[in-house]
Amino acid sequence: MKNYLLVAALLILILNNLFAEIKNGYEKDIAGAKVSLQGLRYLLDNCPELTSADRGKIKEKVNAIVNFLVYHEITDTLLNQFRRIAPELYNEMDTLKDNQGRVIDVYVKFIPKEQAQLQAAGMATFKQAENDLNSCDSEYGKNSVSVKVWILHKALRVLSHEFGHVQYSIPNLRSYAEFYEKKYKMGLADPILGHRHDDPSGKHALLFEERFRDYYMRYLKGDSESIVSPLVLINPIKRNVLQHMNN
């Protein structure tokens, strides 16, 4: 019996490491956010001794968590939209590997413009691992990439562009990092980063975006009503989050 359990555990471990995945970047913190929200609401409902200033601070934290839950839900919704529109492209990113055959998880967040670190509608971030120049790390850990996209009307198109950067850069990480270091001397805030005329990552991003546009146009001919602008999603999703919170 113990041997069967050991084999089963090993199979689960192996299978979990065989497949890359596109992931909601908010997911790892969602459980903690919900627990925090419950605790804050308990304070508001059960601590009459709180001062008005304390209540104001707690309500600000509650609003921040509610917005976090809304962005999490928007990210899930838009990733599902992308998958419906262009399943082949989604699958390519969902099975991304580096040049050593290691699976890479791509974490995606759709964010409000004011949270962006750079004035760019989309940004993919990762770095070479210190002990392996062919391996990438991000804020999500080893063998991962972080992609952030503004919540705007053309968010899925921006996401496809960033996916294109990632799809080229990760399998070619070592050589592209050398190219990048030589070509870009002006600092991280410059908008030309990744988009010089001779930048292979930029060229691939444009091609991937064009492929997505083709899928999008075909999809609209058959099911245009199911595609809703991210900007239109915000209010109904927020109402839904607040409704669940108050039940």
Side-chain angles (χ1 to χ4, degrees):
M1 184 64 177
K2 289 183 178 178
N3 288 337
Y4 285 119
L5 291 174
L6 178 60
V7 170
L10 287 173
L11 281 173
I12 292 172
L13 180 64
I14 291 169
L15 289 172
N16 282 342
N17 287 282
L18 273 178
F19 304 104
E21 193 175 356
I22 297 174
K23 296 184 177 182
N24 187 325
Y26 294 98
E27 189 65 38
K28 70 182 183 68
D29 297 316
I30 201 71
K34 290 179 179 179
V35 170
S36 296
L37 182 60
Q38 290 177 346
L40 293 170
R41 295 191 68 219
Y42 179 87
L43 291 175
L44 290 173
D45 296 338
N46 297 280
C47 297
E49 68 275 13
L50 288 171
T51 67
S52 59
D54 288 335
R55 286 184 173 277
K57 290 178 182 178
I58 291 173
K59 287 179 180 178
E60 286 181 8
K61 291 180 180 179
V62 167
N63 288 334
I65 294 174
V66 167
N67 287 333
F68 181 89
L69 298 177
V70 170
Y71 303 146
H72 171 267
E73 185 67 23
I74 287 175
T75 297
D76 264 356
T77 301
L78 293 178
L79 286 176
N80 285 330
Q81 279 190 10
F82 192 103
R83 179 163 44 192
R84 291 201 311 273
I85 294 168
E88 291 84 0
L89 299 185
Y90 190 95
N91 184 64
E92 288 177 22
M93 298 306 301
D94 208 33
T95 56
L96 182 67
K97 295 181 180 180
D98 66 16
N99 71 350
Q100 303 298 307
R102 292 169 294 213
V103 296
I104 306 298
D105 288 324
V106 181
Y107 289 84
V108 177
K109 277 185 176 182
F110 288 92
I111 64 173
K113 181 178 179 179
E114 58 269 20
Q115 287 187 8
Q117 296 174 334
L118 298 177
Q119 288 303 300
M123 180 173 66
T125 56
F126 50 88
K127 63 179 182 179
Q128 289 174 290
E130 292 183 4
N131 59 348
D132 184 352
L133 299 182
N134 291 302
S135 178
C136 68
D137 295 338
S138 79
E139 62 188 284
Y140 295 97
K142 188 176 181 181
N143 297 328
S144 71
V145 173
S146 172
V147 176
K148 293 184 174 71
V149 174
W150 292 356
I151 300 172
L152 75 172
H153 179 64
K154 295 183 178 180
L156 292 183
R157 181 171 165 182
V158 175
L159 178 62
S160 71
H161 185 91
E162 297 308 316
F163 276 172
H165 279 298
V166 172
Q167 189 182 51
Y168 176 85
S169 301
I170 296 307
N172 300 284
L173 186 58
R174 187 165 188 167
S175 60
Y176 183 66
E178 293 173 356
F179 168 89
Y180 190 94
E181 186 176 352
K182 291 177 182 177
K183 292 291 182 179
Y184 299 107
K185 306 291 185 181
M186 64 289 287
L188 289 176
D190 196 291
I192 200 174
L193 288 177
H195 295 96
R196 285 177 60 103
H197 66 91
D198 57 346
D199 190 312
S201 174
K203 292 179 179 179
H204 194 83
L206 292 173
L207 288 173
F208 200 95
E209 180 182 347
E210 185 176 342
R211 291 173 66 199
F212 175 78
R213 287 204 327 247
D214 289 342
Y215 278 103
Y216 184 78
M217 295 307 296
R218 289 200 296 269
Y219 189 87
L220 285 182
K221 292 178 181 178
D223 189 14
S224 60
E225 294 183 0
S226 69
I227 300 302
V228 180
S229 167
L231 296 174
V232 176
L233 287 171
I234 295 175
N235 287 333
I237 286 178
K238 189 165 188 174
R239 284 196 298 269
N240 187 52
V241 168
L242 291 172
Q243 183 179 356
H244 282 288
M245 187 178 79
N246 293 322
N247 289 338

